[in-house]
Amino acid sequence: LMKGIEFDGTYWHSFEHMRAQPIKESWSDDDIRNYHQIKDDWFATKGIQILHIKEEEWIADKQHFIQKCLEFLGK
């Protein structure tokens, strides 16, 4: 399908956590802040679409995001 679903956990995708990762120590703050867009743009060059689900949105309305995932996958 050339589609991916990413669950963006609040801790793992926070600026502070990403900034603390040794592999990202040479990244600018702007690159850290724009991480998802940079990654999504790269996937787009490969013809892959990404659906992001943020943890806080998932907790608030799981059923909505299950439906959103199914629609994204064409189900």
Side-chain angles (χ1 to χ4, degrees):
L1 294 175
M2 303 294 284
K3 294 182 177 194
I5 299 171
E6 182 173 359
F7 184 82
D8 299 336
T10 303
Y11 171 75
W12 295 104
H13 291 262
S14 69
F15 177 86
E16 293 77 16
H17 174 74
M18 291 179 67
R19 170 49 64 216
Q21 293 178 347
I23 197 165
K24 294 182 176 93
E25 66 188 5
S26 65
W27 291 22
S28 71
D29 285 353
D30 282 341
D31 284 348
I32 296 285
R33 283 186 199 93
N34 297 313
Y35 169 74
H36 289 302
Q37 189 60 55
I38 292 166
K39 186 171 59 170
D40 290 354
D41 290 348
W42 182 85
F43 278 118
T45 68
K46 310 294 182 208
I48 300 169
Q49 293 177 288
I50 303 295
L51 172 66
H52 290 273
I53 300 173
K54 294 183 179 187
E55 181 178 11
E56 59 272 14
E57 295 173 335
W58 172 257
I59 290 169
D61 192 351
K62 291 176 181 70
Q63 195 58 46
H64 169 77
F65 284 97
I66 290 170
Q67 186 60 39
K68 193 169 184 174
C69 288
L70 291 172
E71 290 170 7
F72 179 70
L73 297 172
K75 303 290 180 182

